[in-house]
Every structure is written in structure tokens, then in C-alpha cells.
Amino acid sequence: MPETTVIIGPFRRRVFAEGLGALLSRESGLIVRHIEDEADAAAFMSVATPTIVILESREEEGRRTFLPVSDRVAVILIAQEGQDVQIALRQVDRSRLRAAIGLVAETPHPKVLSLDMDAPTQPPFALPKFREPGRSGLSWVLAWLDAAFAHALDDFARQRGGPEGAPWMEDLRCLKEAFARGRAVSSDEEEQRFRELIDAPMWPARLLRTLALDPMELKLICLVAAPDLDLRYAQAIGLMQSNYAEPRPNATTLATFLGAEIVGADIASLLAGRRNFARHAMIRAEPSGVPQPSYRLAPALHDLMLGIQRHAGPGWRVEGQALPAEENLVARVGTVLDAKISPMILASGEGVDVGAEIAAAVIAKGVSVLRASCQELDADHVADKVRNWALWARLHDAALMLEGLDALPPRVQQAVLAVETEGLVRALIVTGNVAPSLRDAVYMRVAKPTPSVHIRRWRMAGEDHGLILSREEAEALGGTLRLGLSDMNAVMRMAAGQRRIGTNAAAAELIRIAARRIAASHAPDTVRRPPCIFSWDDIVLPPKIKAQVQAIPEHVRQGPLVLDEWNFGSRLPYGRGVGALFSGPSGTGKTMCAQVIAAALGVELMQVEIARCVSKYIGETEKNIDRCFCAAETAGAVLLFDEADALFGKRTEIKDAHDRHANVEVAYLLQRIEAYEGLVILTTNLKANIDPAFLRRLRFVCDFPMPDASDRLRIWRLAIPGDASCSTDVDTGFLARRLPLSGGSIQTIAVNAAFGAAAEGCAGIHMRHVMTATRAELLKNGMLSAEKALADPAPQAIREAML
């Protein structure tokens, strides 16, 4: 968007106008000015420079008096201005205001746009009384085409001749009447009309200047587009070619419009030459079996002529706004963009959305990016498709990014890279591992954004969607939710949607809820997402062990401060991730602690299903594990390996091929944990089974003991919810003192006792139900002697209750 002046009129709440000005001053390409008297707005309604006037719309005052009379002026009326001093803009948030400014600047005629809290941003409303003839640019084209076709039909009639009354002669008479309006059009008048077409300050002049065309090439573009502009031209072409079924011109027909000295072969040669006109395939031949094919205009130029400004299409979209990019990447991209002849940029990276990061860096330099998916390419029409993208990029003055090219066969890759885009796009960017062979290239490896970048992105994304985050909230999100740009935008849109329907939760909480939903889309079928319903109050552990477990989420939250600002990241030999091992008997709360940690961080818990990861095929196990790590890293989730000794066991002496491949899997896991930047938790019943190499790479190793009598009593009290009714004869203290059970076993006994009471139709749980469930649990765990020695605490009371 060219540089635009934004005039902000007076608002009843002055702080809103000031905050609005501060907000817009951060946008590139905008010059912000304030006026103190709304009457001063009338002076800007007829200026000749791009201007947007923002006024307050009040129901008691009609703002239709402020109507623009210049085609370079637009008015935005904002109703029900924001009430936050910090300009959170609950009603008119930054994203909608940015969209409004883009819409009012998009069309070349005056407009008034109303921006109200209850109505979405609509396309600009054109006021018909202010539309002047010729403002679309097509009137100059149609005026010249009428004269050109009138002359061409005269020549056609002289060359063909024939008896009076022939059917084609009546068609000829009607068409000449339509083009010439019953009068002769001289060749001087035709040339005058064409000069007016070239001098018009609309798209024809832009084509000539931007793509370095000459007048004859512009004539060809208009002639080839003629059948799409008016049915009369299609009928005339069909008549001249003696085939009404073919309304598009061939080379011979085009030559008749350009002078007697030009023949069809000259046109065919021009369209296949080395000029920009031909290199960029602005005119394409229609496939046919006839000696001379007909021609069609490139889609991008067709829309340009009709005044259509597309920002997206099948497999491509233009991005002009992005969240902050990593500074080093912006500097490297800027070096390429500033070069006189920009080489191709080859970008790749591990565990990062390369396309989104490179696009953000390019946008940070003030250049839009057209992102095109190579999955849309047809092997038989590669060149046309890429040229279409390049033309769209040129009309948007954008860089062209080709994504997914490395997934195509090598021959298709080379065909794509062979398409000439130099002089057409600001830069050509290819993501993935592609080897160039036909042009110069610069390789850029895209690293994962640092937590400080994530923090800035969360704060700006919140401002864009009207969800203002404090510095502390942004730091907490940046330390735990390290999402890619596309996921971050999806999260913010979902959170903003919840806010718009009246959800009163805090902005940070809405974002975390949305992030957990987005994380679900990344979960492969080898992981499950258990609900994180427990809290720290549900954890019963010795104080030292509990304090050690509670320190784990703090290491995740404080990572940006310690690793980046204090530079401890340069001292860590095994990466930035946090690893923890929970060891201890079954039922002591290891998995429960993992759920509590995930809930405390506000992220998803992804529990790896080891049985579904392990494969009998060589290399498949590693691929399945890698998908789990990638999914957790992308979603910012906690990754849990329950019963981890099945995968992380000790390496053994190689005696057969099975041992060799098992050792390879363990070695791969070592490397993957080193590279992982999130939180991974391993649980095991026996720490001695874990390979010692893993222990050196884990920041926490926590031993979960069996609970003692006092801890068991606390667990018994927590195991039965407050909503459940218990008889006075239930003596959990007796069971806590008598039986050395784990917390998991105690919870199972409580659940089974509740079901037993419900089956009998009792209003509450009695001691007999607890005793029955306890004996069953002891037998299940093989504690036969404990079951036989278990005596009822009050046998007489139990017998009476059973009568």
C-alpha cells in the first residue's frame, strides 16, 4: 500500500483518539495527523493525495455530510468508540481497523465505510453520484477497441468481398454500427484514442512502466482481452475468422489490427521471443489441433483490467502483515532484497515453519509475500502456473515464495526453477531442501525463534485482536507456548471469537484454552491426550520430593530469562529443553504429577502410546517417535513417556540383528532428547532399567516412594469426593495404619466401594463396602497374607448393618 495520510477527527473521549493515533503510527505506510475541529474534515474531502479520514459516528448527527469528492479520499466512521484507556479496542480492535484501512484504499473511487462493533468490516460502499466516467480504466480501452475493430471490419469487407445479401454481410453491418455509431472513424482518431489510453493514469500506464512494455504489446494485450470485455468483440472475431465457435483471436487475426506490414508469423514470433512480454507469458496460446491456436490473456492481467485485486487464489495467497520476525533473519533477508540482482533464496530448517518465518522477515522489510503451494502444480502445466504466480506477485509488488517444492519429483523441481522470474518478482524464495542448477542462490537456515521473539509476538498478536496482555502474561505465554506463526494466529482468532461472544475470562486464559484446542490438531495417532484435572493439592508426596516436582514448571517458565537474558543457554551442553524422570512403584503418582505440571503450565499433555510406536519394520519406530516429538514441540505440549524403560532401556552387547537395531533406537532417542526444546517426562517403576546416558541428559530425577501412614491417611481423605456420602462407620484411619498401599490402589478401592454401595441401593458408602473393595485390591496385587490377616475394625457394627 502506498504512503497514505490518516486524519483522525475529534472523539468525545480524547484518550481514544490519542490511543488510535498511537496505534496507527506503528503501521508502515501511514502518516497520522489529528484535527481538533470536526469542521476541518471538510477540507480533506477533495485532496489529490491518498487520504483516509477517521471520524466518530454519532447517531444524533448525520455524518453523510462528510462525503469524499476525490477518488483518492476515503472516510471511515467508527461507532461506539473503545472504552479502555489503553485502547484495547474491545469494539473496534486493531485487526478490523487494519482491514478497514486496506479496504478503503483498495478501489479507485470515493467511498464511506462504517465500522461498528455489531457489524463485520464490509467491502467499501461506492457512492454512484461520485463515480466519473472513465475512472475504471476500461473506457479508454473500449474507446480504442471500438475504433480498431471498426477499421479491421472495413479491411475485412474489402478483402473478402462477395454478393450483396450474404448472411455475413448483415452481421458485418450490425457490428460496424455498434462500433462506429453510424459514422466513419479515421486512422488519426484511432491513434488519438490509443494515445489517450497510454496517458490515462490507470492500469495501462502501470503495465507499460512496471513491465517495460512497448505500445504494440499493450495493443495485443487489449485485443486478446477484448472477447472477455464485450460480446461484440467476440462476435467480430468469430466473423473475421469465419468461425463463430472460436471467439478468441489467432495470430493472423491479431496481425490485421497492427498494420499491413505485420503478418501472423510476426505475432507468433513475438509471443515466443525473449522480451518481457513473452518471457512472462502475458498472453498464452490455447491448446488446439488447428494450425494457428487462439490466444488468451494471463489471469492476473485479466483481473487487473477489470479492476479486481485478488489477494488469494487456488494454492496461493498474498501476505502483507506478520508478527515480529527474528532480527538476524530480517538482516539476512534484507541483504538479498537490497541487492541489484537478487539471487534465489533457498530456506530450510528443522522443527520450524520455514515459510512463515521467512515471510515474516520479508514483510519486516516492507515487502509483501505471495506464498504458493507447489502441491497445486500439474506436471504438464508447470510453467504457466508459476508464471501466473509471478505475475500476481508483480502486480502486488511482492516476493514469490514456493513451498513444498522438495516433495515433487526432481524433473518437476527443475522445470519450476527453469521458469524465468527475474525482473518480475521482488525476490524468489524456495523452502525445503532443493538443489538449484539453473540460477544463483543464497542458502538460509532458519532457526527456531527465541523465547524473546515469542513474547513479542504474543503481545502484538494480542493487540491485533483486542486481547491486551501484560508483560508478565506475555512472558508466561512465550515461555510455555512456543507456537508457529500460523498456529499463533489461529489461537488468537479462536480466543478473539470467544471474547466477542461475551466470554469474561482473562485474555491469557482464553489464549491457553484456544492453544490446547489447536494442539489437538497436531497430535498423531501414536499419542493420547489425557485430561489434566488434578492440581497441586491432589498430590501427596514427601515435602522434598514435592518441592522438586513443583520446580519443573518454573524451569519452563523462567527459561527465557535464564537462558537468553542471563545467557545460560550458551553453557548447556544438551540443549534448551527440560527433561525429568519420575521413578517409583506403580500407583505412587508419577503420571498424576505429569498431568498437574501440564495443567500448571496451561498446555496440553501428550502421552506416548509406546505399543503403537514400536514397529517390527526397521526405521519405523524412529519415525513414529520423531512424529511424537515434533507434534509436542509444535503444540508446546508436555510429552510423557509412561513406562519409559520399554524404550529407554539399557543398551546391550550386540549378539544378533535384533540387538543392533534396539541399540540404534536407544541412540536415536538420546539424540532426539538433546534436540528437544520442550518439556519431556519419563516414568518408570525401576530406575535401574534406564540407560545411564539418559540420566545425564535429564535435568530432574525424582524418586517417588511408597506413602507412609500419615500420607496414606491424606490420600484416603482425598480419594472420596466431598459430594459422596459416607457412613460414620467408615474408618479410613484404620486402613491407613494397617495396609501399606499406594495412592493408586487407595483410589481404586474408593471407586469400587462407591460402586458396591450404589449396586446395593445404599444412600452412602459403608465400611463393609470399603472392606470388600480392599480385600479385592489386596488379592489383585498378590498381597494374600495381608488379605487373610485383615480384621474388621468393628465386626459387631458391620454385622448389625448387614441385618
Side-chain angles (χ1 to χ4, degrees):
M1 187 172 64
E3 196 169 72
T4 302
T5 300
V6 178
I7 307 299
I8 300 178
F11 282 77
R12 284 174 291 187
R13 289 179 59 86
R14 182 183 181 89
V15 68
F16 178 80
E18 294 174 351
L20 191 63
L23 200 64
L24 295 180
S25 63
R26 297 166 54 179
E27 301 290 335
S28 60
L30 299 182
I31 302 174
V32 179
R33 292 177 53 189
H34 291 269
I35 56 176
E36 299 298 330
D37 188 346
E38 62 183 17
D40 295 338
F44 297 96
M45 296 296 112
S46 58
V47 296
T49 57
T51 303
I52 297 174
V53 181
I54 301 179
L55 300 172
E56 180 180 11
S57 177
R58 305 175 188 173
E59 295 182 359
E60 66 273 15
E61 299 180 16
R63 290 294 174 154
R64 288 290 178 176
T65 56
F66 293 104
L67 296 179
V69 296
S70 168
D71 63 349
R72 311 303 298 276
V73 177
V75 175
I76 295 179
L77 302 178
I78 296 183
Q80 300 184 24
E81 80 281 5
Q83 298 174 1
D84 286 29
V85 174
Q86 296 179 344
I87 309 302
L89 297 178
R90 287 193 296 265
Q91 289 87 356
V92 186
D93 60 49
R94 184 175 175 183
S95 61
R96 293 180 63 220
L97 186 60
R98 177 188 292 159
I101 290 176
L103 286 170
V104 298
E106 190 170 283
T107 54
H109 49 72
K111 60 199 75 75
V112 174
L113 186 76
S114 179
L115 194 60
D116 189 271
M117 64 170 290
D118 297 322
T121 303
Q122 297 293 331
F125 170 64
L127 302 176
K129 60 187 292 186
F130 292 115
R131 284 187 67 100
E132 298 179 13
R135 289 302 184 185
S136 68
L138 284 180
S139 63
W140 289 290
V141 175
L142 298 178
W144 173 73
L145 284 176
D146 282 353
F149 270 86
H151 277 290
L153 290 176
D154 284 338
D155 293 339
F156 173 74
R158 286 194 299 269
Q159 292 173 7
R160 180 167 181 177
E164 288 290 336
W168 64 270
M169 294 189 71
E170 179 60 22
D171 293 343
L172 178 66
R173 185 191 64 78
C174 292
L175 287 171
K176 288 182 63 177
E177 176 65 23
F179 293 135
R181 304 294 191 273
R183 67 181 184 85
V185 179
S186 65
S187 58
D188 291 340
E189 183 179 349
E190 178 191 349
E191 286 303 316
Q192 176 62 28
R193 291 184 183 182
F194 186 71
R195 284 194 296 272
E196 292 174 354
L197 166 63
I198 293 178
D199 295 336
M202 302 299 289
W203 62 265
R206 182 180 175 190
L207 275 181
L208 285 171
R209 180 181 66 256
T210 303
L211 301 176
L213 304 181
D214 64 22
M216 186 176 70
E217 292 169 338
L218 182 59
K219 284 185 177 181
L220 285 173
I221 288 175
C222 296
L223 289 168
V224 172
D228 296 314
L229 302 179
D230 197 309
L231 183 60
R232 300 173 300 152
Y233 304 130
Q235 293 171 337
I237 292 171
L239 174 63
M240 296 170 67
Q241 296 178 162
S242 301
N243 183 4
Y244 285 104
E246 181 49 75
R248 299 194 177 279
N250 56 35
T252 299
T253 302
L254 291 173
T256 61
F257 289 88
L258 302 178
E261 69 281 3
I262 297 178
V263 297
D266 296 326
I267 302 298
S269 177
L270 176 64
L271 296 178
R274 292 293 303 165
R275 296 176 59 82
N276 287 345
F277 180 69
R279 287 195 308 117
H280 304 323
M282 299 179 192
I283 294 176
R284 283 93 183 270
E286 292 271 273
S288 64
V290 298
Q292 279 198 1
S294 58
Y295 292 98
R296 179 188 295 270
L297 198 62
L301 297 187
H302 173 269
D303 283 356
L304 176 68
M305 295 183 71
L306 297 181
I308 301 172
Q309 188 174 4
R310 297 188 192 276
H311 293 273
W316 66 271
R317 68 184 185 278
V318 175
E319 294 183 356
Q321 302 288 342
L323 294 173
E326 204 276 325
E327 293 180 357
N328 291 334
L329 186 60
V330 173
R332 286 186 289 160
V333 168
T335 302
V336 177
L337 295 177
D338 294 339
K340 292 183 178 179
I341 301 179
S342 298
M344 177 173 59
I345 297 176
L346 294 179
S348 64
E350 294 291 337
V352 62
D353 188 344
V354 176
E357 294 295 336
I358 286 286
V362 174
I363 291 170
K365 300 300 294 184
V367 179
S368 298
V369 180
L370 187 147
R371 299 179 64 178
S373 173
C374 291
Q375 295 178 353
E376 297 290 329
L377 289 177
D378 182 351
D380 296 329
H381 303 91
V382 167
D384 282 347
K385 194 80 170 183
V386 176
R387 289 190 183 108
N388 285 343
W389 293 337
L391 279 172
W392 283 120
R394 189 67 189 91
L395 295 180
H396 285 279
D397 197 24
L400 174 61
M401 178 184 294
L402 303 177
E403 300 182 88
L405 184 60
D406 52 350
L408 301 180
R411 65 178 185 84
V412 180
Q413 293 183 22
Q414 296 307 317
V416 170
L417 297 179
V419 177
E420 293 190 57
T421 59
E422 292 184 13
L424 192 61
V425 298
R426 291 289 298 270
L428 177 63
I429 305 166
V430 178
T431 64
N433 297 315
V434 178
S437 61
L438 301 173
R439 57 184 301 172
D440 297 340
V442 172
Y443 175 70
M444 290 186 185
R445 182 170 181 81
V446 180
K448 297 176 183 178
T450 61
S452 60
V453 174
H454 284 291
I455 292 170
R456 287 192 292 122
R457 286 177 176 176
W458 280 118
R459 293 202 73 179
M460 182 168 287
E463 291 178 1
D464 284 351
H465 292 81
L467 299 169
I468 302 302
L469 297 170
S470 66
R471 179 175 178 81
E472 292 74 17
E473 289 173 330
E475 288 176 349
L477 291 173
T480 56
L481 294 176
R482 302 176 185 178
L483 305 182
L485 285 169
S486 58
D487 284 338
M488 188 176 291
N489 285 323
V491 166
M492 296 307 300
R493 286 193 295 269
M494 187 177 295
Q498 289 296 117
R499 173 58 59 83
R500 289 191 189 284
I501 64 173
T503 305
N504 293 323
E509 181 60 25
L510 289 176
I511 291 171
R512 290 193 181 279
I513 293 172
R516 288 195 288 271
R517 295 181 182 275
I518 296 298
S521 64
H522 295 291
D525 56 4
T526 52
V527 304
R528 66 185 186 91
R529 300 176 294 109
C532 300
I533 58 176
F534 300 110
S535 66
W536 291 116
D537 294 336
D538 298 313
I539 300 295
V540 178
L541 286 172
K544 290 183 179 180
I545 302 298
K546 189 171 183 178
Q548 192 177 12
V549 174
Q550 288 177 322
I552 294 174
E554 290 303 319
H555 276 238
V556 178
R557 293 192 189 101
Q558 303 304 328
L561 172 65
V562 175
L563 300 180
D564 294 320
E565 295 186 28
W566 294 357
N567 200 30
F568 273 84
S570 63
R571 308 298 300 169
L572 288 178
Y574 297 117
R576 304 173 58 95
V578 178
L581 173 67
F582 296 164
S583 65
S586 178
T588 51
K590 301 183 295 296
T591 304
M592 185 179 182
C593 280
Q595 296 177 8
V596 173
I597 289 172
L601 292 172
V603 299
E604 195 82 357
L605 177 67
M606 292 188 178
Q607 182 174 346
V608 178
E609 295 187 343
I610 296 177
R612 302 186 69 174
C613 280
V614 177
S615 174
K616 65 180 180 181
Y617 298 105
I618 297 174
E620 285 300 312
T621 300
E622 290 87 342
K623 290 180 182 179
N624 292 336
I625 293 172
D626 183 68
R627 280 193 286 268
C628 296
F629 275 99
C630 290
E633 204 163 29
T634 301
V638 175
L639 189 62
L640 171 64
F641 287 88
D642 215 354
E643 306 297 337
D645 41 344
L647 278 177
F648 297 80
K650 292 181 179 180
R651 285 166 286 190
T652 60
E653 181 183 352
I654 297 177
K655 297 180 179 179
D656 54 27
H658 178 272
D659 294 334
R660 180 180 297 108
H661 294 306
N663 288 347
V664 168
E665 291 174 4
V666 174
Y668 171 77
L669 282 168
L670 285 169
Q671 298 173 6
R672 196 63 183 85
I673 283 186
E674 285 182 359
Y676 187 59
E677 293 194 2
L679 171 59
V680 58
I681 298 176
L682 316 178
T683 70
T684 180
N685 293 341
L686 189 59
K687 184 170 65 175
N689 291 340
I690 301 293
D691 194 299
F694 286 107
L695 300 181
R696 292 189 294 107
R697 289 162 172 79
L698 300 175
R699 200 176 299 180
F700 295 90
V701 177
C702 305
D703 295 318
F704 285 60
M706 287 291 289
D708 57 20
S710 61
D711 287 342
R712 288 196 296 271
L713 180 58
R714 292 171 56 200
I715 295 173
W716 273 109
R717 290 171 178 171
L718 290 170
I720 301 177
D723 295 335
S725 176
C726 287
S727 173
T728 56
D729 67 341
V730 175
D731 187 0
T732 55
F734 162 75
L735 296 174
R737 293 189 304 270
R738 186 72 179 273
L739 299 174
L741 296 172
S742 67
S745 295
I746 292 173
Q747 185 64 67
T748 301
I749 292 172
V751 172
N752 289 340
F755 275 103
E760 291 184 8
C762 298
I765 302 171
H766 293 269
M767 190 63 181
R768 68 177 184 275
H769 303 129
V770 177
M771 295 300 293
T772 300
T774 300
R775 289 191 175 95
E777 184 68 15
L778 292 173
L779 291 174
K780 183 182 73 174
N781 293 338
M783 302 173 67
L784 303 181
S785 58
E787 190 273 333
K788 291 179 180 179
L790 184 62
D792 292 343
Q796 181 63 33
I798 294 176
R799 282 194 295 271
E800 291 176 356
M802 295 179 65
L803 294 177

